[in-house]
Amino acid sequence: MKTIDELLAEGVTGKRVFVRADLNVPLDGTTITDDGRIRAVVPTVKALAEAGARVVVASHLGRPKGAPDPAFSLAPAAARLGELLGADVAFATDTVGESARATVAGLTDGRVAVIENLRFNAGETSKDDAERAAFAAQLAELADLYVGDGFGAVHRKHASVFDLPARLPHAAGYLIATEVGVLKKLTDEVKRPYVVVLGGAKVSDKLGVIDHLLEKADRILVGGGMAYTFLKAKGHEVGISLLQEDQIPACLEYLARAEKRGVEFVLPVDVLVSADFPDLKTKAPANPTTVAADAIPATEEGLDIGPKTRELYAAKLADAGTVFWNGPMGVFEHPDYAGGTQAVAQALLDSPAFTVVGGGDSAAAVRLLGFDENAFGHISTGGGASLEYLEGKQLPGLVALED
């Protein structure tokens, strides 16, 4: 896989360089609530611009249905990228149309443009190879070189991720190189004990990674909504908590495999419950109660791990050599149910381990709760991509960047 430094050494002055970034940031209207993914691509864009390239940045945002939708415009992300670069960033109001062609043609050496949301074109995400290829061919007309740096999208077989690199000389950007290097430390160069912390809503989202990590991890700590399916599998009442009944057989299998292999599989011992899901907009007091994890009332919902579980998980992380954390421990967006996620984050900071926060809601929680991002070993920009890499899958966007 060619690196961006090798590309820069060959010379990019005057060349149009297409950078597939991940600017898929959360928006409140037109206000960006977490700019972490934009900041992550700045080193690559800045290096290319300073070397005299004419940089064309492209990304998706949200899930528009293959047609323009103002709610998913990249205009706010383009403006924020300009602020972070300290330079004007041109913005094209389409992907491969008149505005994109004119905007790219107007670039001079060292300048940057962002084209509109790639998913405004149905060809970007099409499962039809010919339709995807046709869109990739149109994108290729905008550039001379390709740099892949949208790690959060490399697990998608999309036109700008998979098909476009085949049409242009290509290299991996700094972010992708960093992400892959970190993930290798979780697969090939693990310092033990290796502790995995998994949360989030659904067991089904984590089946593949649990299956794979049962062969590699020393301990797996489970929280979030997915914990209640495991608790139900052990015969406990979970009230109206999140539950995937169809995943109970898989949970039982994983618990049995963990015991057979000597992997500690740790579930909550107490939880915070309420009969009403909290109001996340007003953050009105939720007045939760704490109950044992095997004694959740039938009319109550588990919404966070309890204080005893927080202490238990901190103890299980204290001597770790490597930690991978993906998924919050509760409804962290509400202050009354953020304590479990906050406790895990603090335990990672207190641990001597190499710590990786696996993107998605975990990364958002770290920022929302006010932690110093630089204090963690690495905060990934791609939750789904990280999980699929750890499952041992081949990621289309990385395959496409291989020489």
Side-chain angles (χ1 to χ4, degrees):
M1 187 181 293
K2 179 182 270 188
T3 68
I4 187 173
D5 285 331
E6 290 173 311
L7 193 71
L8 292 169
E10 293 171 359
V12 295
T13 303
K15 300 284 184 66
R16 299 169 303 162
V17 182
F18 188 103
V19 177
R20 198 347 177 149
D22 180 8
L23 309 181
N24 186 27
V25 291
L27 294 171
D28 182 1
T30 59
T31 301
I32 296 169
T33 57
D34 182 356
D35 68 355
R37 284 176 169 166
I38 303 176
R39 287 186 284 111
V41 80
V42 166
T44 290
V45 174
K46 190 173 184 180
L48 289 165
E50 289 179 348
R54 304 177 183 193
V55 187
V56 182
V57 180
S59 177
H60 69 286
L61 192 152
R63 297 181 182 273
K65 302 185 184 301
D69 183 339
F72 297 105
S73 175
L74 276 175
R80 180 58 179 148
L81 178 61
E83 292 171 358
L84 292 167
L85 291 170
D88 290 334
V89 169
F91 182 67
T93 56
D94 57 27
T95 56
V96 291
E98 184 178 337
S99 178
R101 292 192 297 269
T103 300
V104 174
L107 286 175
T108 55
D109 295 357
R111 303 313 295 255
V112 178
V114 173
I115 62 175
E116 188 53 284
N117 191 337
L118 292 165
R119 291 185 182 174
F120 285 1
N121 189 302
E124 169 67 1
T125 60
S126 177
K127 298 203 182 320
D128 181 271
D129 291 349
E131 187 177 9
R132 259 196 351 267
F135 183 48
Q138 290 178 292
L139 291 171
E141 293 177 3
L142 300 175
D144 306 302
L145 303 168
Y146 176 95
V147 171
D149 213 32
F151 181 74
V154 294
H155 59 315
R156 306 294 188 192
K157 193 176 181 181
H158 290 169
S160 65
V161 175
F162 180 74
D163 301 87
L164 183 55
R167 288 165 168 76
L168 296 169
H170 50 264
Y174 291 126
L175 175 61
I176 280 186
T178 298
E179 294 272 14
V180 171
V182 166
L183 289 170
K184 283 183 177 178
K185 291 185 178 181
L186 299 179
T187 53
D188 303 331
E189 307 159 14
V190 180
K191 183 179 178 182
R192 297 188 180 279
Y194 181 14
V195 185
V196 176
V197 185
L198 296 176
K202 296 179 179 179
V203 172
S204 56
D205 291 341
K206 304 291 196 301
L207 285 178
V209 75
I210 294 172
D211 183 72
H212 198 69
L213 289 173
L214 278 172
E215 305 298 318
K216 295 183 177 294
D218 298 300
R219 295 177 199 139
I220 298 177
L221 317 181
V222 177
M226 64 182 287
Y228 302 101
T229 302
F230 278 100
L231 290 170
K232 185 72 171 181
K234 295 193 75 172
H236 302 318
E237 170 65 58
V238 297
I240 58 171
S241 305
L242 279 173
L243 177 64
Q244 288 185 288
E245 291 267 9
D246 61 325
Q247 300 300 328
I248 287 176
C251 291
L252 287 170
E253 179 196 341
Y254 291 146
L255 290 169
R257 278 178 57 195
E259 184 175 6
K260 184 177 180 180
R261 291 191 58 81
V263 176
E264 286 188 71
F265 205 104
V266 190
L267 297 174
V269 294
D270 62 345
V271 296
L272 270 59
V273 299
S274 173
D276 300 302
F277 194 84
D279 188 323
L280 299 181
K281 287 193 174 181
T282 66
K283 305 291 194 295
N287 300 316
T289 55
T290 302
V291 300
D294 60 357
I296 299 173
T299 58
E300 305 274 320
E301 179 177 10
L303 296 166
D304 194 15
I305 58 173
K308 291 182 180 178
T309 305
R310 296 170 197 176
E311 290 181 11
L312 172 64
Y313 286 11
K316 296 293 184 183
L317 291 164
D319 67 342
T322 304
V323 179
F324 174 69
W325 172 31
N326 181 277
M329 297 292 99
V331 186
F332 70 91
E333 299 91 341
H334 191 286
D336 287 352
Y337 299 103
T341 302
Q342 190 159 15
V344 166
Q346 186 61 54
L348 263 63
L349 294 184
D350 294 341
S351 169
F354 175 68
T355 57
V356 178
V357 180
D361 285 342
S362 311
V366 164
R367 297 182 184 109
L368 180 67
L369 297 174
F371 287 95
D372 179 5
E373 294 177 58
N374 296 321
F376 297 88
H378 179 69
I379 296 181
S380 179
T381 58
S386 295
L387 289 176
E388 291 199 16
Y389 188 99
L390 292 180
E391 287 174 37
K393 292 182 178 179
Q394 283 200 320
L395 307 188
L398 298 184
V399 172
L401 292 175
E402 296 291 345
D403 294 334

